[in-house]
Amino acid sequence: GENVEQHPSTLSVQEGDSAVIKCTYSDSASNYFPWYKQELGKRPQLIIDIRSNVGEKKDQRIAVTLNKTAKHFSLHITETQPEDSAVYFCAASRSTASKLTFGTGTRLQVTL
Amino acid sequence: NAGVTQTPKFRILKIGQSMTLQCTQDMNHNYMYWYRQDPGMGLKLIYYSVGAGITDKGEVPNGYNVSRSTTEDFPLRLELAAPSQTSVYFCASSYSATGGNPYEQYFGPGTRLTVT
């Protein structure tokens, strides 16, 4: 089955700096790669996703890049703010509405 | 829309007891999922369903059962609870043929279960 590895497990940045979280996946048939943000005690919420027919997608301060050849994808957050502090999970799946395999999460802390 | 709702929010079980975690969605989604999240870990898929009457095992199905008699509801049954089942359980749903992002999974608020 699919295996998703995520690094780093914790990340501390100063407000205004950029943060990068990286994931690798094992199943070459995976074609959908979402990123979820989970605040303490809350449910995961989708922040951005990318499909395998594009290499990069951006939404304001967040962007995701995908390298299908190397089987890795990354989340980039620019101009970080304290409210970006949360746990971020990457995931991968083979098709629309198919089961997701999650990474183990990255705890991002944005300090003032 | 209420989205995905789960009950109860919290529950403490004794070893060997049984319970059902309820999950309901009002977005007319075809697909529904149950995940567990252990402290400091990612989410692991327990069971999923692609439509009423159809269920399939995920990564960690042992000790659990599900049913899907309607589009809206997807209860998770724990038989003979064990301490290893202490976790936070999330229900999720996705994919409506009538519109929206077909890929996005919407999560419920979770049920925090402790087995002692």
Side-chain angles (χ1 to χ4, degrees):
Chain A
E2 174 70 278
N3 182 50
V4 177
E5 294 190 356
Q6 183 172 347
H7 300 280
S9 57
T10 60
L11 180 59
S12 183
V13 299
Q14 286 198 316
E15 183 179 7
D17 288 349
S18 296
V20 180
I21 303 170
K22 299 182 179 182
C23 288
T24 60
Y25 62 98
S26 61
D27 186 355
S28 57
S30 289
N31 57 12
Y32 174 63
F33 308 92
W35 286 88
Y36 283 83
K37 177 183 180 182
Q38 186 178 30
E39 296 176 352
L40 189 63
K42 299 292 180 72
R43 73 191 80 186
Q45 291 194 298
L46 181 72
I47 56 171
I48 196 166
D49 56 7
I50 192 167
R51 302 173 207 175
S52 62
N53 57 341
V54 296
E56 184 173 357
K57 183 177 177 181
K58 191 173 182 180
D59 183 3
Q60 300 184 331
R61 295 186 299 108
I62 59 174
V64 57
T65 58
L66 171 65
N67 183 329
K68 283 223 78 179
T69 302
K71 291 193 281 190
H72 66 70
F73 56 111
S74 300
L75 177 71
H76 305 253
I77 306 174
T78 59
E79 300 172 21
T80 54
Q81 300 168 2
E83 52 264 38
D84 294 329
S85 296
V87 179
Y88 292 81
F89 292 98
C90 63
S93 75
R94 280 191 169 195
S95 65
T96 306
S98 182
K99 46 187 180 175
L100 290 171
T101 299
F102 282 84
T104 50
T106 296
R107 183 173 300 278
L108 174 65
Q109 184 172 5
V110 180
T111 58
L112 297 174
Chain B
N1 285 356
V4 181
T5 58
Q6 292 181 239
T7 58
K9 285 186 170 58
F10 305 93
R11 183 73 185 267
I12 298 174
L13 280 182
K14 293 189 187 305
I15 294 171
Q17 287 185 323
S18 299
M19 76 165 294
T20 299
L21 282 66
Q22 301 291 346
C23 175
T24 300
Q25 54 91 10
D26 63 358
M27 297 175 282
N28 200 31
H29 283 166
N30 297 94
Y31 291 39
M32 296 187 75
Y33 315 81
W34 274 106
Y35 295 91
R36 60 176 287 172
Q37 184 176 33
D38 297 333
M41 300 296 287
L43 293 93
K44 291 188 184 296
L45 183 67
I46 305 170
Y47 270 95
Y48 67 105
S49 168
V50 300
I54 306 169
T55 63
D56 206 350
K57 296 178 181 179
E59 187 181 354
V60 290
N62 291 347
Y64 307 94
N65 277 299
V66 294
S67 59
R68 184 105 181 265
S69 57
T70 67
T71 300
E72 296 78 20
D73 301 304
F74 191 40
L76 177 72
R77 178 83 178 160
L78 278 74
E79 304 282 1
L80 299 174
S84 60
Q85 294 178 304
T86 294
S87 191
V88 179
Y89 291 84
F90 288 101
C91 179
S93 70
S94 68
Y95 189 62
S96 168
T98 58
N101 181 351
Y103 295 84
E104 181 175 0
Q105 290 192 18
Y106 294 82
F107 284 81
T111 294
R112 187 174 297 274
L113 176 67
T114 301
V115 182
T116 61

